[in-house]
Short mmCIF file of all heavy atoms in Angstrom, two decimals:
data_model
loop_
_atom_site.label_atom_id
_atom_site.label_comp_id
_atom_site.label_asym_id
_atom_site.label_seq_id
_atom_site.Cartn_x
_atom_site.Cartn_y
_atom_site.Cartn_z
N MET N 1 0.84 -1.17 0.00
CA MET N 1 0.00 0.00 0.00
C MET N 1 0.89 1.24 0.00
O MET N 1 1.88 1.31 0.71
CB MET N 1 -0.91 -0.02 1.22
CG MET N 1 -1.92 1.07 1.23
SD MET N 1 -3.07 0.71 2.58
CE MET N 1 -4.45 1.60 2.06
N SER N 2 0.50 2.23 -0.81
CA SER N 2 1.30 3.44 -0.95
C SER N 2 1.15 4.32 0.28
O SER N 2 0.09 4.41 0.88
CB SER N 2 0.85 4.21 -2.18
OG SER N 2 1.52 5.43 -2.26
N ASP N 3 2.23 4.98 0.63
CA ASP N 3 2.19 5.90 1.76
C ASP N 3 1.93 7.35 1.30
O ASP N 3 2.00 8.27 2.10
CB ASP N 3 3.48 5.82 2.57
CG ASP N 3 4.69 6.21 1.75
OD1 ASP N 3 4.53 6.48 0.54
OD2 ASP N 3 5.79 6.26 2.32
N GLY N 4 1.62 7.55 0.02
CA GLY N 4 1.31 8.89 -0.48
C GLY N 4 2.51 9.57 -1.11
O GLY N 4 2.36 10.59 -1.78
N ASN N 5 3.69 9.04 -0.92
CA ASN N 5 4.88 9.62 -1.55
C ASN N 5 5.07 8.98 -2.92
O ASN N 5 4.83 7.79 -3.10
CB ASN N 5 6.12 9.36 -0.70
CG ASN N 5 6.04 10.07 0.63
OD1 ASN N 5 5.53 11.19 0.70
ND2 ASN N 5 6.51 9.44 1.69
N PHE N 6 5.48 9.76 -3.87
CA PHE N 6 5.73 9.21 -5.19
C PHE N 6 6.88 9.98 -5.83
O PHE N 6 7.22 11.08 -5.43
CB PHE N 6 4.49 9.27 -6.06
CG PHE N 6 3.98 10.67 -6.31
CD1 PHE N 6 4.39 11.40 -7.43
CD2 PHE N 6 3.09 11.27 -5.43
CE1 PHE N 6 3.94 12.67 -7.65
CE2 PHE N 6 2.63 12.56 -5.65
CZ PHE N 6 3.05 13.26 -6.77
N ASN N 7 7.43 9.39 -6.83
CA ASN N 7 8.52 10.00 -7.54
C ASN N 7 7.96 10.77 -8.73
O ASN N 7 7.34 10.20 -9.62
CB ASN N 7 9.48 8.90 -8.01
CG ASN N 7 10.74 9.44 -8.62
OD1 ASN N 7 10.82 10.63 -8.93
ND2 ASN N 7 11.73 8.58 -8.80
N LYS N 8 8.20 12.08 -8.77
CA LYS N 8 7.64 12.91 -9.85
C LYS N 8 8.23 12.56 -11.20
O LYS N 8 7.66 12.86 -12.23
CB LYS N 8 7.84 14.38 -9.54
CG LYS N 8 6.98 14.87 -8.41
CD LYS N 8 7.12 16.36 -8.21
CE LYS N 8 6.23 16.78 -7.05
NZ LYS N 8 6.28 18.21 -6.80
N SER N 9 9.37 11.92 -11.23
CA SER N 9 9.96 11.55 -12.51
C SER N 9 9.16 10.44 -13.19
O SER N 9 9.35 10.18 -14.38
CB SER N 9 11.41 11.10 -12.32
OG SER N 9 11.46 9.90 -11.58
N LEU N 10 8.25 9.82 -12.48
CA LEU N 10 7.42 8.77 -13.07
C LEU N 10 6.20 9.35 -13.79
O LEU N 10 5.49 8.63 -14.48
CB LEU N 10 6.96 7.78 -12.00
CG LEU N 10 8.06 7.02 -11.27
CD1 LEU N 10 7.47 6.17 -10.16
CD2 LEU N 10 8.85 6.16 -12.24
N LEU N 11 5.96 10.66 -13.62
CA LEU N 11 4.82 11.29 -14.27
C LEU N 11 5.12 11.51 -15.75
O LEU N 11 6.27 11.59 -16.15
CB LEU N 11 4.51 12.63 -13.60
CG LEU N 11 4.04 12.56 -12.15
CD1 LEU N 11 3.91 13.96 -11.59
CD2 LEU N 11 2.73 11.83 -12.05
N PRO N 12 4.09 11.61 -16.59
CA PRO N 12 4.31 11.87 -18.01
C PRO N 12 5.06 13.20 -18.22
O PRO N 12 4.89 14.15 -17.46
CB PRO N 12 2.90 11.96 -18.60
CG PRO N 12 2.00 11.38 -17.58
CD PRO N 12 2.68 11.46 -16.26
N ALA N 13 5.84 13.26 -19.26
CA ALA N 13 6.70 14.41 -19.50
C ALA N 13 5.93 15.65 -19.95
O ALA N 13 6.35 16.76 -19.67
CB ALA N 13 7.75 14.05 -20.53
N GLY N 14 4.84 15.48 -20.69
CA GLY N 14 4.15 16.61 -21.31
C GLY N 14 3.58 17.60 -20.33
O GLY N 14 3.77 18.80 -20.47
N GLY N 15 2.90 17.15 -19.36
CA GLY N 15 2.30 18.05 -18.39
C GLY N 15 0.91 18.48 -18.79
O GLY N 15 0.50 18.40 -19.95
N TYR N 16 0.18 18.96 -17.84
CA TYR N 16 -1.21 19.37 -18.05
C TYR N 16 -1.29 20.65 -18.87
O TYR N 16 -2.10 20.76 -19.78
CB TYR N 16 -1.87 19.57 -16.69
CG TYR N 16 -3.28 20.07 -16.76
CD1 TYR N 16 -4.32 19.22 -17.11
CD2 TYR N 16 -3.57 21.40 -16.51
CE1 TYR N 16 -5.62 19.67 -17.20
CE2 TYR N 16 -4.88 21.87 -16.59
CZ TYR N 16 -5.89 21.00 -16.92
OH TYR N 16 -7.18 21.46 -17.01
N ALA N 17 -0.44 21.62 -18.56
CA ALA N 17 -0.51 22.93 -19.21
C ALA N 17 -0.31 22.83 -20.72
O ALA N 17 -0.98 23.51 -21.48
CB ALA N 17 0.50 23.88 -18.61
N SER N 18 0.59 21.98 -21.17
CA SER N 18 0.83 21.88 -22.60
C SER N 18 -0.38 21.27 -23.30
O SER N 18 -0.70 21.64 -24.44
CB SER N 18 2.08 21.05 -22.90
OG SER N 18 1.91 19.72 -22.47
N GLY N 19 -1.08 20.39 -22.65
CA GLY N 19 -2.30 19.82 -23.21
C GLY N 19 -3.41 20.86 -23.33
O GLY N 19 -4.16 20.88 -24.30
N VAL N 20 -3.49 21.72 -22.34
CA VAL N 20 -4.49 22.80 -22.38
C VAL N 20 -4.18 23.76 -23.52
O VAL N 20 -5.06 24.15 -24.27
CB VAL N 20 -4.53 23.56 -21.02
CG1 VAL N 20 -5.37 24.81 -21.13
CG2 VAL N 20 -5.06 22.64 -19.93
N ARG N 21 -2.91 24.12 -23.66
CA ARG N 21 -2.53 25.03 -24.76
C ARG N 21 -2.81 24.39 -26.12
O ARG N 21 -3.27 25.06 -27.04
CB ARG N 21 -1.05 25.41 -24.66
CG ARG N 21 -0.77 26.43 -23.58
CD ARG N 21 0.65 26.96 -23.67
NE ARG N 21 1.67 25.91 -23.62
CZ ARG N 21 2.22 25.46 -22.50
NH1 ARG N 21 1.86 25.95 -21.34
NH2 ARG N 21 3.14 24.53 -22.55
N ALA N 22 -2.54 23.11 -26.26
CA ALA N 22 -2.81 22.43 -27.52
C ALA N 22 -4.30 22.41 -27.82
O ALA N 22 -4.72 22.62 -28.96
CB ALA N 22 -2.26 21.00 -27.47
N GLY N 23 -5.12 22.19 -26.80
CA GLY N 23 -6.57 22.21 -26.98
C GLY N 23 -7.09 23.58 -27.36
O GLY N 23 -7.96 23.70 -28.22
N GLU N 24 -6.54 24.61 -26.74
CA GLU N 24 -6.94 25.99 -27.07
C GLU N 24 -6.57 26.32 -28.51
O GLU N 24 -7.35 26.94 -29.23
CB GLU N 24 -6.30 26.97 -26.11
CG GLU N 24 -6.91 26.95 -24.72
CD GLU N 24 -6.17 27.84 -23.74
OE1 GLU N 24 -5.06 28.33 -24.06
OE2 GLU N 24 -6.71 28.06 -22.66
N ALA N 25 -5.39 25.93 -28.93
CA ALA N 25 -4.94 26.20 -30.30
C ALA N 25 -5.83 25.47 -31.30
O ALA N 25 -6.19 26.03 -32.34
CB ALA N 25 -3.49 25.78 -30.47
N ARG N 26 -6.20 24.25 -30.98
CA ARG N 26 -7.07 23.48 -31.87
C ARG N 26 -8.45 24.14 -31.99
O ARG N 26 -9.00 24.24 -33.08
CB ARG N 26 -7.20 22.05 -31.33
CG ARG N 26 -8.14 21.16 -32.04
CD ARG N 26 -7.57 20.70 -33.33
NE ARG N 26 -8.54 19.77 -33.93
CZ ARG N 26 -8.47 19.34 -35.14
NH1 ARG N 26 -7.47 19.70 -35.89
NH2 ARG N 26 -9.37 18.53 -35.60
N MET N 27 -9.02 24.58 -30.88
CA MET N 27 -10.32 25.21 -30.92
C MET N 27 -10.26 26.57 -31.64
O MET N 27 -11.19 26.92 -32.35
CB MET N 27 -10.88 25.39 -29.50
CG MET N 27 -11.26 24.07 -28.85
SD MET N 27 -12.37 23.05 -29.85
CE MET N 27 -13.81 24.06 -29.91
N LYS N 28 -9.17 27.30 -31.48
CA LYS N 28 -9.01 28.57 -32.19
C LYS N 28 -8.96 28.31 -33.70
O LYS N 28 -9.59 29.03 -34.48
CB LYS N 28 -7.74 29.26 -31.72
CG LYS N 28 -7.52 30.61 -32.33
CD LYS N 28 -6.28 31.28 -31.76
CE LYS N 28 -6.04 32.62 -32.39
NZ LYS N 28 -4.83 33.26 -31.87
N SER N 29 -8.25 27.28 -34.09
CA SER N 29 -8.16 26.92 -35.50
C SER N 29 -9.54 26.55 -36.05
O SER N 29 -9.92 26.96 -37.16
CB SER N 29 -7.18 25.77 -35.69
OG SER N 29 -7.17 25.33 -37.00
N ARG N 30 -10.28 25.78 -35.30
CA ARG N 30 -11.64 25.39 -35.72
C ARG N 30 -12.56 26.59 -35.82
O ARG N 30 -13.38 26.69 -36.74
CB ARG N 30 -12.23 24.38 -34.75
CG ARG N 30 -11.69 23.00 -34.89
CD ARG N 30 -12.40 22.06 -33.95
NE ARG N 30 -11.97 20.70 -34.18
CZ ARG N 30 -12.48 19.66 -33.57
NH1 ARG N 30 -13.46 19.82 -32.69
NH2 ARG N 30 -12.04 18.45 -33.84
N ALA N 31 -12.45 27.53 -34.88
CA ALA N 31 -13.29 28.72 -34.89
C ALA N 31 -12.99 29.58 -36.11
O ALA N 31 -13.91 30.10 -36.76
CB ALA N 31 -13.08 29.52 -33.60
N ILE N 32 -11.71 29.74 -36.45
CA ILE N 32 -11.34 30.53 -37.62
C ILE N 32 -11.86 29.87 -38.90
O ILE N 32 -12.40 30.54 -39.78
CB ILE N 32 -9.81 30.73 -37.66
CG1 ILE N 32 -9.39 31.66 -36.54
CG2 ILE N 32 -9.35 31.26 -39.02
CD1 ILE N 32 -7.90 31.74 -36.31
N HIS N 33 -11.72 28.56 -38.98
CA HIS N 33 -12.21 27.84 -40.16
C HIS N 33 -13.74 27.97 -40.27
O HIS N 33 -14.27 28.18 -41.36
CB HIS N 33 -11.80 26.37 -40.08
CG HIS N 33 -12.25 25.56 -41.24
ND1 HIS N 33 -11.69 25.71 -42.50
CD2 HIS N 33 -13.22 24.64 -41.36
CE1 HIS N 33 -12.30 24.88 -43.33
NE2 HIS N 33 -13.22 24.22 -42.67
N ALA N 34 -14.43 27.84 -39.16
CA ALA N 34 -15.90 27.97 -39.18
C ALA N 34 -16.32 29.38 -39.59
O ALA N 34 -17.29 29.55 -40.35
CB ALA N 34 -16.47 27.64 -37.79
N PHE N 35 -15.58 30.39 -39.15
CA PHE N 35 -15.89 31.76 -39.52
C PHE N 35 -15.68 31.97 -41.02
O PHE N 35 -16.49 32.63 -41.68
CB PHE N 35 -15.04 32.74 -38.71
CG PHE N 35 -15.38 34.18 -38.95
CD1 PHE N 35 -16.58 34.70 -38.51
CD2 PHE N 35 -14.50 35.01 -39.62
CE1 PHE N 35 -16.91 36.03 -38.74
CE2 PHE N 35 -14.82 36.34 -39.85
CZ PHE N 35 -16.02 36.85 -39.40
N GLN N 36 -14.62 31.39 -41.58
CA GLN N 36 -14.38 31.49 -43.01
C GLN N 36 -15.53 30.86 -43.80
O GLN N 36 -16.01 31.44 -44.79
CB GLN N 36 -13.08 30.78 -43.39
CG GLN N 36 -11.84 31.52 -43.01
CD GLN N 36 -10.59 30.71 -43.31
OE1 GLN N 36 -10.59 29.50 -43.27
NE2 GLN N 36 -9.51 31.42 -43.61
N GLU N 37 -15.97 29.69 -43.38
CA GLU N 37 -17.08 29.02 -44.07
C GLU N 37 -18.37 29.83 -43.95
O GLU N 37 -19.13 29.93 -44.90
CB GLU N 37 -17.28 27.61 -43.49
CG GLU N 37 -16.13 26.67 -43.77
CD GLU N 37 -15.92 26.43 -45.25
OE1 GLU N 37 -16.91 26.24 -45.97
OE2 GLU N 37 -14.75 26.46 -45.67
N LEU N 38 -18.60 30.40 -42.78
CA LEU N 38 -19.80 31.21 -42.57
C LEU N 38 -19.79 32.44 -43.48
O LEU N 38 -20.82 32.79 -44.06
CB LEU N 38 -19.90 31.64 -41.11
CG LEU N 38 -21.11 32.48 -40.74
CD1 LEU N 38 -22.38 31.65 -40.89
CD2 LEU N 38 -20.98 33.00 -39.33
N LEU N 39 -18.64 33.07 -43.62
CA LEU N 39 -18.54 34.23 -44.51
C LEU N 39 -18.84 33.84 -45.96
O LEU N 39 -19.52 34.57 -46.67
CB LEU N 39 -17.14 34.85 -44.44
CG LEU N 39 -16.87 35.81 -43.30
CD1 LEU N 39 -15.42 36.27 -43.33
CD2 LEU N 39 -17.80 37.00 -43.35
N LYS N 40 -18.34 32.69 -46.37
CA LYS N 40 -18.59 32.24 -47.74
C LYS N 40 -20.07 31.97 -47.98
O LYS N 40 -20.60 32.28 -49.04
CB LYS N 40 -17.79 30.97 -48.05
CG LYS N 40 -16.32 31.22 -48.22
CD LYS N 40 -15.60 29.91 -48.48
CE LYS N 40 -14.10 30.09 -48.48
NZ LYS N 40 -13.40 28.81 -48.63
N GLU N 41 -20.73 31.37 -47.00
CA GLU N 41 -22.14 31.01 -47.15
C GLU N 41 -23.08 32.21 -46.96
O GLU N 41 -24.00 32.40 -47.74
CB GLU N 41 -22.52 29.93 -46.14
CG GLU N 41 -21.88 28.59 -46.40
CD GLU N 41 -22.17 27.59 -45.31
OE1 GLU N 41 -23.03 27.88 -44.44
OE2 GLU N 41 -21.53 26.53 -45.30
N ALA N 42 -22.84 33.00 -45.93
CA ALA N 42 -23.77 34.06 -45.57
C ALA N 42 -23.61 35.32 -46.42
O ALA N 42 -24.57 36.05 -46.62
CB ALA N 42 -23.62 34.41 -44.09
N ALA N 43 -22.38 35.56 -46.87
CA ALA N 43 -22.13 36.79 -47.63
C ALA N 43 -21.23 36.49 -48.83
O ALA N 43 -20.08 36.92 -48.87
CB ALA N 43 -21.50 37.82 -46.72
N PRO N 44 -21.76 35.78 -49.81
CA PRO N 44 -20.91 35.43 -50.96
C PRO N 44 -20.57 36.63 -51.84
O PRO N 44 -19.62 36.57 -52.61
CB PRO N 44 -21.76 34.42 -51.72
CG PRO N 44 -23.15 34.71 -51.34
CD PRO N 44 -23.08 35.22 -49.93
N ASP N 45 -21.32 37.72 -51.72
CA ASP N 45 -21.09 38.89 -52.56
C ASP N 45 -20.00 39.82 -52.03
O ASP N 45 -19.62 40.77 -52.72
CB ASP N 45 -22.39 39.67 -52.74
CG ASP N 45 -23.02 40.08 -51.41
OD1 ASP N 45 -22.73 39.42 -50.41
OD2 ASP N 45 -23.81 41.03 -51.41
N ILE N 46 -19.48 39.55 -50.83
CA ILE N 46 -18.40 40.38 -50.28
C ILE N 46 -17.12 40.05 -51.04
O ILE N 46 -16.79 38.90 -51.27
CB ILE N 46 -18.20 40.11 -48.77
CG1 ILE N 46 -19.42 40.56 -47.98
CG2 ILE N 46 -16.96 40.81 -48.25
CD1 ILE N 46 -19.32 40.27 -46.50
N GLU N 47 -16.39 41.11 -51.41
CA GLU N 47 -15.15 40.89 -52.15
C GLU N 47 -14.08 40.29 -51.24
O GLU N 47 -14.15 40.39 -50.01
CB GLU N 47 -14.66 42.18 -52.77
CG GLU N 47 -14.41 43.30 -51.79
CD GLU N 47 -14.10 44.61 -52.49
OE1 GLU N 47 -14.94 45.05 -53.29
OE2 GLU N 47 -13.02 45.15 -52.22
N GLN N 48 -13.10 39.66 -51.86
CA GLN N 48 -12.07 38.91 -51.13
C GLN N 48 -11.29 39.78 -50.15
O GLN N 48 -10.98 39.34 -49.05
CB GLN N 48 -11.12 38.24 -52.13
CG GLN N 48 -10.09 37.34 -51.51
CD GLN N 48 -10.69 36.11 -50.85
OE1 GLN N 48 -11.80 35.71 -51.16
NE2 GLN N 48 -9.96 35.53 -49.94
N SER N 49 -10.97 41.01 -50.53
CA SER N 49 -10.19 41.87 -49.64
C SER N 49 -10.97 42.20 -48.36
O SER N 49 -10.40 42.21 -47.27
CB SER N 49 -9.78 43.16 -50.35
OG SER N 49 -10.92 43.89 -50.75
N LYS N 50 -12.25 42.45 -48.48
CA LYS N 50 -13.08 42.73 -47.31
C LYS N 50 -13.21 41.48 -46.44
O LYS N 50 -13.17 41.56 -45.21
CB LYS N 50 -14.47 43.20 -47.76
CG LYS N 50 -15.40 43.55 -46.63
CD LYS N 50 -14.92 44.75 -45.84
CE LYS N 50 -15.95 45.14 -44.80
NZ LYS N 50 -15.48 46.19 -43.93
N ARG N 51 -13.32 40.32 -47.08
CA ARG N 51 -13.40 39.05 -46.34
C ARG N 51 -12.12 38.82 -45.54
O ARG N 51 -12.17 38.41 -44.38
CB ARG N 51 -13.64 37.91 -47.34
CG ARG N 51 -14.06 36.63 -46.67
CD ARG N 51 -14.37 35.57 -47.68
NE ARG N 51 -15.57 35.95 -48.43
CZ ARG N 51 -15.85 35.53 -49.65
NH1 ARG N 51 -15.03 34.73 -50.28
NH2 ARG N 51 -16.96 35.90 -50.26
N GLN N 52 -10.97 39.12 -46.15
CA GLN N 52 -9.69 38.96 -45.45
C GLN N 52 -9.59 39.93 -44.28
O GLN N 52 -9.09 39.57 -43.21
CB GLN N 52 -8.53 39.19 -46.41
CG GLN N 52 -8.27 38.03 -47.35
CD GLN N 52 -7.91 36.77 -46.61
OE1 GLN N 52 -8.73 35.87 -46.46
NE2 GLN N 52 -6.69 36.69 -46.15
N GLU N 53 -10.08 41.15 -44.47
CA GLU N 53 -10.06 42.14 -43.39
C GLU N 53 -10.90 41.67 -42.21
O GLU N 53 -10.50 41.78 -41.05
CB GLU N 53 -10.59 43.47 -43.92
CG GLU N 53 -10.61 44.57 -42.90
CD GLU N 53 -11.24 45.85 -43.43
OE1 GLU N 53 -11.10 46.10 -44.63
OE2 GLU N 53 -11.87 46.57 -42.63
N LEU N 54 -12.08 41.13 -42.50
CA LEU N 54 -12.95 40.62 -41.43
C LEU N 54 -12.30 39.44 -40.71
O LEU N 54 -12.39 39.31 -39.49
CB LEU N 54 -14.31 40.21 -42.01
CG LEU N 54 -15.20 41.35 -42.47
CD1 LEU N 54 -16.41 40.80 -43.22
CD2 LEU N 54 -15.63 42.20 -41.30
N LEU N 55 -11.64 38.59 -41.47
CA LEU N 55 -10.97 37.43 -40.87
C LEU N 55 -9.83 37.88 -39.96
O LEU N 55 -9.66 37.33 -38.86
CB LEU N 55 -10.45 36.50 -41.96
CG LEU N 55 -9.82 35.21 -41.50
CD1 LEU N 55 -10.84 34.37 -40.73
CD2 LEU N 55 -9.30 34.44 -42.68
N ILE N 56 -9.09 38.88 -40.37
CA ILE N 56 -8.00 39.41 -39.54
C ILE N 56 -8.55 40.00 -38.25
O ILE N 56 -8.01 39.75 -37.16
CB ILE N 56 -7.17 40.44 -40.33
CG1 ILE N 56 -6.36 39.74 -41.42
CG2 ILE N 56 -6.24 41.23 -39.40
CD1 ILE N 56 -5.73 40.67 -42.43
N ARG N 57 -9.62 40.76 -38.35
CA ARG N 57 -10.23 41.34 -37.15
C ARG N 57 -10.75 40.25 -36.22
O ARG N 57 -10.65 40.36 -35.00
CB ARG N 57 -11.36 42.29 -37.55
CG ARG N 57 -10.84 43.58 -38.17
CD ARG N 57 -11.93 44.51 -38.59
NE ARG N 57 -12.77 44.86 -37.45
CZ ARG N 57 -14.02 45.28 -37.57
NH1 ARG N 57 -14.58 45.40 -38.76
NH2 ARG N 57 -14.73 45.60 -36.50
N TYR N 58 -11.32 39.18 -36.78
CA TYR N 58 -11.83 38.07 -35.98
C TYR N 58 -10.67 37.38 -35.24
O TYR N 58 -10.79 37.07 -34.06
CB TYR N 58 -12.56 37.08 -36.87
CG TYR N 58 -13.17 35.92 -36.13
CD1 TYR N 58 -14.30 36.11 -35.34
CD2 TYR N 58 -12.64 34.65 -36.22
CE1 TYR N 58 -14.87 35.06 -34.65
CE2 TYR N 58 -13.20 33.59 -35.54
CZ TYR N 58 -14.32 33.80 -34.76
OH TYR N 58 -14.87 32.76 -34.07
N ARG N 59 -9.56 37.16 -35.93
CA ARG N 59 -8.40 36.54 -35.28
C ARG N 59 -7.88 37.39 -34.15
O ARG N 59 -7.48 36.87 -33.09
CB ARG N 59 -7.28 36.32 -36.31
CG ARG N 59 -7.52 35.18 -37.22
CD ARG N 59 -6.37 35.00 -38.17
NE ARG N 59 -6.63 33.84 -39.02
CZ ARG N 59 -5.90 33.52 -40.05
NH1 ARG N 59 -4.86 34.26 -40.39
NH2 ARG N 59 -6.19 32.46 -40.77
N GLU N 60 -7.87 38.71 -34.33
CA GLU N 60 -7.42 39.60 -33.26
C GLU N 60 -8.33 39.52 -32.05
O GLU N 60 -7.88 39.54 -30.91
CB GLU N 60 -7.37 41.03 -33.77
CG GLU N 60 -6.26 41.31 -34.75
CD GLU N 60 -6.35 42.68 -35.40
OE1 GLU N 60 -7.34 43.40 -35.18
OE2 GLU N 60 -5.41 43.02 -36.15
N LYS N 61 -9.63 39.41 -32.29
CA LYS N 61 -10.58 39.33 -31.17
C LYS N 61 -10.45 38.00 -30.43
O LYS N 61 -10.69 37.92 -29.23
CB LYS N 61 -12.00 39.52 -31.66
CG LYS N 61 -12.27 40.96 -32.06
CD LYS N 61 -13.74 41.18 -32.34
CE LYS N 61 -14.01 42.59 -32.73
NZ LYS N 61 -13.91 43.54 -31.64
N LEU N 62 -10.07 36.94 -31.15
CA LEU N 62 -9.86 35.65 -30.49
C LEU N 62 -8.66 35.68 -29.56
O LEU N 62 -8.61 34.97 -28.58
CB LEU N 62 -9.69 34.53 -31.51
CG LEU N 62 -10.93 33.99 -32.16
CD1 LEU N 62 -10.55 32.91 -33.17
CD2 LEU N 62 -11.90 33.44 -31.16
N GLY N 63 -7.68 36.50 -29.90
CA GLY N 63 -6.51 36.64 -29.05
C GLY N 63 -5.43 35.75 -29.35
O GLY N 63 -4.86 34.93 -29.60
#
């Protein structure tokens, strides 16, 4: 039976924080892709330069 002590070197190398950052990056990527698709469907008459400007502003707001 364990006494509650353990060797930290036995823990996985990646760590919790790196997994959280990877998940946030993945969700940000999905959100940007979804916004691009929404722009194509909802406003097909917007010219490409305006669409790029909106996408840049959206990325800035995501942080």
Side-chain angles (χ1 to χ4, degrees):
M1 186 171 203
S2 175
D3 61 357
N5 295 323
F6 61 92
N7 187 347
K8 290 185 180 181
S9 66
L10 299 175
L11 295 174
Y16 177 76
S18 64
V20 170
R21 284 190 304 270
E24 287 175 348
R26 174 76 177 169
M27 290 308 295
K28 183 177 179 181
S29 175
R30 284 184 174 185
I32 290 170
H33 181 71
F35 185 69
Q36 286 176 329
E37 293 298 317
L38 181 66
L39 277 177
K40 287 179 187 176
E41 292 174 10
D45 56 337
I46 294 177
E47 58 188 58
Q48 185 66 21
S49 61
K50 182 66 175 174
R51 193 176 292 155
Q52 284 298 103
E53 180 184 328
L54 290 171
L55 184 61
I56 290 168
R57 288 179 58 203
Y58 182 72
R59 284 182 178 171
E60 289 172 354
K61 288 189 180 288
L62 281 179

